[in-house]
Amino acid sequence: MKALRTKGGNLLLEDVPRPKGSEALVRVLRSGICNTDLEIARGYAGFEGTLGHEFVGVVETAPDAPELLGKRVVGEINAGCGKCELCLAGDPRHCPDRTVLGIKGRDGAHAEYLTLPSQNLLIVPDNISNDAAAFVEPLGAAWGITERVNISPDTRVAVIGDGKLGLLSAMALSLASQNTVLIGKHRAKLEHVADYDIETHLTSDAPKMHNSFDVVVEASGAESGFAMALDLVKPKGSIVLKSTFHGTPTWEAWRVVVDEITVIGSRCGRFAPALDLLSEGKVRVDNLISDKLPLAEGLRAMELSARPGVLKVLLDMEV
Ligand SMILES: [Zn+2]
Ligand SMILES: [Zn+2]
């Protein structure tokens, strides 16, 4: 089968054997390219293998879960050891021995087939399209912010960043808070949330919103986002760090102390709430798709995805 892989700092479209083993075998229908894929391809996390962690597919074999056969599924990306305290409590996302689809110790979704433990798979309701289902992982990650910080209807929330992660985070959080503001550099991108109860601002407006927010989500993936988050958050408020930014940002740590700010990291969310949000039509993702290319054009898709102004690029394994 074809697979988009990274090896020794290179990105390659290779022919590799179809995966085997005792896990469920999934034929991939769509996969989504994430900024994390771009960072991994640049060497982040030292991962080598097939990239991709956002997908929808059809289960072809599932030795321990025959009820999944032929079903359209998405899959939680963290596979735990099944034995440690965290795994036994039902949350393998921080299992010290976990593998992560397309990120750590496990081949990913930019391929014709992948395998995952059957307990990671969730059946996709019929009213969610294949294209939309490819967003379950990033939407789960966006909604996952609500697992890490308390957001009620009157919480004042600012999301910094109008890329894929920022847009999805603002969309999701606007369902929890009636005071959600999205701040970005591109007027055209900010327009993607026009159908939601979200106030949008260009970053040039940020100085006017000094100390205004209970919760500030940094989703810009840029160093400047950290300092802006400190400017926007109220004393005793919370900053949620969402982008896997790989520089060493300089920010004035003393302000965290003086203003008693809580700094919170947020990575993966749960899939079930994201499926509900899509199925109920509360979040609509179609306007976030910039392009859809066959897997054979995976290298071009990655290159396209890195261009400024481009939102989600999907790989379509059905063409
Ligand atoms: Zn991702
Ligand atoms: Zn474990």
Side-chain angles (χ1 to χ4, degrees):
M1 66 166 192
K2 275 194 179 47
L4 185 63
R5 294 170 64 81
T6 173
K7 201 177 354 184
N10 293 311
L11 191 63
L12 310 156
L13 188 72
E14 288 189 314
D15 279 307
V16 295
R18 194 183 286 189
K20 286 201 279 263
S22 58
E23 295 183 337
L25 178 70
V26 177
R27 177 169 53 85
V28 182
L29 298 170
R30 300 280 187 287
S31 65
I33 296 178
C34 172
N35 285 347
T36 304
D37 299 342
L38 302 174
E39 298 213 18
I40 293 171
R42 288 186 207 115
Y44 152 57
F47 174 77
E48 298 207 327
T50 303
L51 288 168
H53 54 273
E54 306 174 0
F55 76 95
V56 56
V58 174
V59 178
E60 295 227 330
T61 60
D64 60 344
E67 70 281 5
L68 290 175
L69 271 185
K71 294 285 195 272
R72 200 165 59 118
V73 295
V74 289
E76 305 245 14
I77 69 177
N78 297 281
C81 68
K83 289 176 243 156
C84 72
E85 208 172 297
L86 294 162
C87 286
L88 291 173
D91 190 357
R93 285 176 292 181
H94 291 282
C95 169
D97 296 322
R98 69 185 180 274
T99 58
V100 188
L101 188 71
I103 294 175
K104 187 170 185 272
R106 171 180 287 276
D107 280 332
H110 299 326
E112 291 175 63
Y113 291 86
L114 62 82
T115 62
L116 270 175
S118 56
Q119 64 267 27
N120 283 48
L121 303 177
L122 289 88
I123 294 172
V124 178
D126 289 341
N127 70 344
I128 301 177
S129 69
N130 288 338
D131 289 355
F135 283 83
V136 169
E137 194 278 335
L139 180 57
W143 185 251
I145 295 167
T146 64
E147 272 188 68
R148 304 283 294 128
V149 62
N150 194 25
I151 295 179
S152 59
D154 51 6
T155 306
R156 285 188 55 80
V157 178
V159 176
I160 302 171
D162 54 15
K164 302 180 274 280
L165 192 60
L167 292 168
L168 275 174
S169 297
M171 288 173 176
L173 297 181
S174 74
L175 303 172
S177 158
Q178 286 163 0
N179 299 283
T180 304
V181 171
L182 174 64
I183 301 163
K185 287 186 180 153
H186 314 88
R187 209 176 286 279
K189 285 185 176 178
L190 293 173
E191 277 166 18
H192 285 92
V193 299
D195 293 346
Y196 298 77
D197 184 13
I198 298 172
E199 194 182 307
T200 59
H201 287 278
L202 289 170
T203 47
S204 50
D205 291 342
K208 285 183 253 166
M209 296 181 280
H210 187 73
N211 282 4
S212 298
F213 299 94
D214 303 299
V215 174
V216 178
V217 178
E218 200 303 294
S220 71
E223 182 171 337
S224 56
F226 293 81
M228 189 187 291
L230 267 178
D231 281 338
L232 295 175
V233 72
K234 280 182 189 170
K236 296 181 85 175
S238 299
I239 295 176
V240 180
L241 302 181
K242 196 64 192 160
S243 46
T244 49
F245 176 73
H246 266 73
T248 42
T250 46
W251 59 333
E252 296 159 305
W254 62 269
R255 292 174 63 187
V256 174
V257 177
V258 171
D259 287 339
E260 301 195 315
I261 307 302
T262 304
V263 179
I264 300 166
S266 167
R267 178 173 48 108
C268 288
R270 294 184 182 278
F271 276 36
L275 281 168
D276 289 343
L277 293 176
L278 290 171
S279 180
E280 292 163 10
K282 289 184 178 163
V283 173
R284 297 160 303 279
V285 291
D286 293 346
N287 70 350
L288 301 183
I289 301 169
S290 292
D291 220 326
K292 191 156 65 168
L293 295 173
L295 177 59
E297 292 181 50
L299 295 175
R300 193 161 77 84
M302 286 283 283
E303 186 243 313
L304 194 63
S305 181
R307 283 191 204 163
V310 173
L311 293 172
K312 187 61 75 184
V313 177
L314 295 178
L315 294 173
D316 184 350
M317 285 63 167
E318 292 184 293
V319 294

